[in-house]
Amino acid sequence: MTAGNVKGALLALLSMGLYATHDVIIKHLGATYPALQILFFSALFSFPPLAILLLRDPTHGTLLPRNPFWVGLRSLCIVASGIGGFYAFSVLPLAQVYSMLFAAPLIVTVLSVPLLGEKVGLHRWLAVCAGLCGVLIVLRPGVMPLGLGHLAALMGASTTALAAIAVRKLGRSERTVILLLWPMIGNFVLTGAALGLAYRPMELGALALTGVIAVLGLVAGFLLILAYQASEAANVAPMQYSQMLWAVAYGWFLFGERPDGPTVLGAGLIMASGLYILMRERLGVSRLRPATRARFGSETVTAPRWSLLQRLLRGWG
């Protein structure tokens, strides 16, 4: 492995550690405050630094999307992914949530057939089936009671995958400011309206932690940009699975969570299938390579897609 690939892998590992810390704070606050409230304030605090970058968008035009359907669908998916992820982290063990969110690239592979015209061969279909079996092992329907948290995590994975597909459909036809601003607007409208249904006054320390969530999401995104600049995408993307190690460590020492055998087995199947798909794409089997460039965890307004941040940073040159 070259020095650049080592540097990229290490930057990606650090980025994933920050994303995991981002999720741990969500879990900590979720024990006291509604998930939608945490998401609202985290997105609110992420807006000022993003606004500075948005003002530097080098392209010109209005704030009206050229492809309103795909922009609208992507925006709704990002908001839904944030809601599902924030709620799941609030009520479920970290390892369980990550196991289900890691199913996102499998769903991307499935959706790429009807929506992107991708041709998926037998090997990748077998990998998808193995990964989905891993999800069933983690969930254990009929053995373990399933709650809203499990549905929320699955919603997060599904909407993350659909948002990634929408990005592939849009390509570079839309201004970066539109791709970042419209999900923020949707989030403020939906989660802001929800504050009237369930709101609990936040102490100053808790409010500050929602700001930390915003900062961690942005810093992790910038580190991921540096990782992709230093190394090949196929060497960076697998580092996402290091979040499971962070989840086990954080869950063990901070929340007293002990992953059981089925969770470990199911998570192993999901990660192995995702890595196999990445390997097939690295060999050039997949022409569109939808999973390699997709962030496997939930893309939210507090943790924007790294490639969009990279586009904005070019405007500073």
Side-chain angles (χ1 to χ4, degrees), residues 46-57 312 316:
S46 70
F47 183 75
L50 280 176
I52 296 174
L53 289 176
L54 290 173
L55 292 174
R56 302 290 300 189
D57 185 6
L312 290 176
W316 290 84

Side-chain angles (χ1 to χ4, degrees), residues 52-130:
I52 296 174
L53 289 176
L54 290 173
L55 292 174
R56 302 290 300 189
D57 185 6
T59 58
H60 301 283
T62 70
L63 294 179
L64 296 177
R66 296 190 183 96
N67 303 279
F69 173 78
W70 287 107
V71 170
L73 178 63
R74 175 181 176 274
S75 299
L76 287 175
C77 285
I78 289 176
V79 174
S81 174
I83 292 173
F86 272 55
Y87 182 76
F89 280 119
S90 298
V91 299
L92 293 179
L94 290 169
Q96 273 193 26
V97 179
Y98 278 123
S99 297
M100 287 178 275
L101 292 182
F102 284 160
L106 308 177
I107 302 172
V108 170
T109 302
V110 174
L111 293 178
S112 69
V113 176
L115 298 180
L116 296 178
E118 172 84 352
K119 293 183 179 179
V120 177
L122 177 62
H123 290 269
R124 284 198 293 154
W125 277 124
L126 291 175
V128 168
C129 290

Side-chain angles (χ1 to χ4, degrees), residues 260-272:
D260 55 19
T263 298
V264 172
L265 175 60
L269 272 175
I270 296 167
M271 290 188 288

Side-chain angles (χ1 to χ4, degrees), residues 188-218:
F188 289 142
V189 171
L190 293 176
T191 60
L195 294 180
L197 302 176
Y199 177 78
R200 181 169 183 175
M202 303 187 78
E203 298 179 357
L204 184 60
L207 195 60
L209 283 178
T210 62
V212 173
I213 292 172
V215 171
L216 288 175
L218 292 175

Side-chain angles (χ1 to χ4, degrees), residues 1-188:
M1 182 178 285
T2 66
N5 285 338
V6 172
K7 179 182 178 181
L10 292 176
L11 286 169
L13 285 172
L14 179 57
S15 174
M16 293 305 115
L18 293 182
Y19 277 130
T21 307
H22 166 286
D23 299 334
V24 165
I25 298 176
I26 293 171
K27 182 174 182 62
H28 169 70
L29 292 176
T32 306
Y33 303 99
L36 291 178
Q37 181 177 330
I38 301 169
L39 177 57
F40 175 83
F41 284 106
S42 299
L44 186 65
F45 284 121
S46 70
F47 183 75
L50 280 176
I52 296 174
L53 289 176
L54 290 173
L55 292 174
R56 302 290 300 189
D57 185 6
T59 58
H60 301 283
T62 70
L63 294 179
L64 296 177
R66 296 190 183 96
N67 303 279
F69 173 78
W70 287 107
V71 170
L73 178 63
R74 175 181 176 274
S75 299
L76 287 175
C77 285
I78 289 176
V79 174
S81 174
I83 292 173
F86 272 55
Y87 182 76
F89 280 119
S90 298
V91 299
L92 293 179
L94 290 169
Q96 273 193 26
V97 179
Y98 278 123
S99 297
M100 287 178 275
L101 292 182
F102 284 160
L106 308 177
I107 302 172
V108 170
T109 302
V110 174
L111 293 178
S112 69
V113 176
L115 298 180
L116 296 178
E118 172 84 352
K119 293 183 179 179
V120 177
L122 177 62
H123 290 269
R124 284 198 293 154
W125 277 124
L126 291 175
V128 168
C129 290
L132 295 179
C133 286
V135 174
L136 290 176
I137 292 173
V138 172
L139 293 178
R140 283 161 280 170
V143 176
M144 183 180 70
L146 301 181
L148 290 178
H150 300 93
L151 294 177
L154 292 174
M155 180 181 76
S158 301
T159 50
T160 292
L162 192 52
I165 292 291
V167 168
R168 300 294 300 183
K169 291 289 289 188
L170 289 168
R172 290 185 172 271
S173 64
E174 294 289 350
R175 297 176 62 205
T176 307
V177 62
I178 289 176
L179 295 178
L180 284 173
L181 191 59
W182 277 95
M184 287 184 178
I185 294 173
N187 181 78
F188 289 142

